[in-house]
């Protein structure tokens, strides 16, 4: 497995949010993490990046335990992260935001990787524009470009289509599909749009109350599971 968690419990303060959480993600696959708001999807992503207060259990990339590693060391091992809310630095330019991702690359030459400019022509044409002036969809493109600048083996995307107009949702979906199916970058993404999950995912993982309650091939994501764990 490229990325795996084994019996992980993750805390904010003394409160466990993820509970005895286990899963495995094969190289080259796209795993969609599903569940209602507040069930632990964002905490899963933050736990993998080492951003919760503490966690127990094992987290591994390519079989190497990273449970005790600092966040920047996890990035250096090839984990790219697009957080919920995007995490763009509004006062920085587009160029400066993307270059932040290169700090995790051992081969960084201080230049923006070509893939970031090729995938997002708008960003290429606006490198010196202040990031706070971008639209929501443009900021999401920038967040993905910054994560790609890490040269990731696996890309974590927390609600990548949240709050974005439909035409940009389709465009981002096309980009993610290309990254996964053509370039072979492994994807782990949380998503509430079932259509997006079914289009992008090879497999799904359903969370409820901080626990894994269902997993399987994306074709096994039926209406009964959706009604039980996603409808309000």
């Amino acid at each position: 497995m490229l990325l795996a968690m084994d019996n992980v419990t993750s805390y904010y303060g003394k409160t466990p949010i993820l509970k005895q959480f286990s899963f495995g993600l094969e190289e080259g696959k796209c795993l969609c993490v599903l569940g209602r708001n507040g069930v632990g999807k964002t905490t899963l992503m933050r736990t993998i990046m080492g951003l919760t207060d503490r966690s127990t259990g094992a987290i591994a990339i390519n079989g190497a335990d990273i449970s005790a590693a600092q966040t920047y060391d996890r990035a250096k091992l090839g984990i790219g992260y697009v957080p919920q809310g995007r995490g763009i630095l509004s006062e920085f330019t587009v160029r400066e935001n993307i270059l932040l991702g290169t700090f995790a690359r051992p081969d960084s030459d201080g230049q923006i990787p070509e893939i970031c400019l090729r995938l997002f022509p708008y960003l290429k044409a606006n490198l010196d524009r202040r990031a706070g002036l971008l639209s929501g969809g443009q900021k999401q493109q920038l967040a993905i470009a910054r994560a790609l600048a890490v040269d990731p083996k696996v890309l974590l995307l927390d609600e990548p289509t949240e709050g974005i107009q439909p035409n940009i949702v389709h465009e981002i979906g096309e980009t993610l599909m290309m990254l996964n199916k053509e370039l072979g970058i492994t994807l782990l993404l949380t998503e509430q749009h079932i259509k997006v999950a079914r289009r992008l995912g090879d497999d799904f993982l359903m969370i409820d109350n901080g626990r894994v309650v269902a997993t399987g091939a994306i074709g096994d994501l039926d209406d009964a599971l959706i009604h039980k764990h996603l409808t309000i």
Side-chain angles (χ1 to χ4, degrees), residues 185-204:
I185 297 174
T186 306
L187 300 183
L188 176 66
L189 62 115
T190 68
E191 188 53 73
Q192 295 214 38
H193 291 83
I194 296 301
K195 287 184 179 179
V196 174
R198 283 179 165 151
R199 182 168 160 237
L200 295 179
D202 297 300
D203 302 294
F204 76 93

Side-chain angles (χ1 to χ4, degrees), residues 9-18 43 47 52-56:
T9 297
S10 189
Y11 297 81
Y12 290 121
K14 295 182 179 180
T15 304
I17 306 299
L18 292 188
T43 299
T47 300
T52 59
D53 291 341
R54 69 182 180 94
S55 64
T56 60

Side-chain angles (χ1 to χ4, degrees), residues 207-229:
I207 302 179
D208 201 355
N209 194 29
R211 299 180 188 273
V212 178
V213 292
T215 61
I218 202 71
D220 296 331
L221 181 60
D222 58 24
D223 290 343
L225 272 173
I226 292 169
H227 179 75
K228 183 175 182 180
H229 297 294

Side-chain angles (χ1 to χ4, degrees), residues 25-151:
L25 174 56
E26 295 181 19
E27 185 173 2
K29 297 288 188 178
C30 175
L31 176 63
C32 292
V33 179
L34 306 169
R36 298 182 182 92
N37 285 333
V39 298
K41 301 190 302 297
T42 292
T43 299
L44 169 62
M45 299 299 209
R46 290 178 59 82
T47 300
I48 294 169
M49 292 306 301
L51 294 170
T52 59
D53 291 341
R54 69 182 180 94
S55 64
T56 60
I59 306 170
I61 185 164
N62 274 332
D65 193 325
I66 62 169
S67 303
Q70 297 294 322
T71 297
Y72 55 82
D73 287 323
R74 300 183 193 208
K76 287 179 180 179
L77 289 170
I79 305 178
Y81 180 40
V82 180
Q84 188 178 40
R86 305 172 189 116
I88 294 302
L89 298 181
S90 296
E91 297 302 318
F92 282 33
T93 64
V94 168
R95 184 193 310 276
E96 289 165 339
N97 271 276
I98 298 174
L99 286 174
L100 287 174
T102 67
F103 294 170
R105 295 176 69 117
D107 63 346
S108 177
D109 59 2
Q111 301 298 313
I112 295 175
E114 188 271 337
I115 187 174
C116 302
L117 304 178
R118 176 163 54 88
L119 288 179
F120 303 111
Y122 176 84
L123 300 182
K124 181 178 181 180
N126 291 273
L127 288 173
D128 295 316
R129 186 174 175 83
R130 191 163 62 83
L133 300 176
L134 303 184
S135 70
Q138 291 160 354
K139 287 178 181 176
Q140 187 64 294
Q141 292 177 349
L142 179 54
I144 294 171
R146 182 182 58 195
L148 287 175
V150 173
D151 191 23

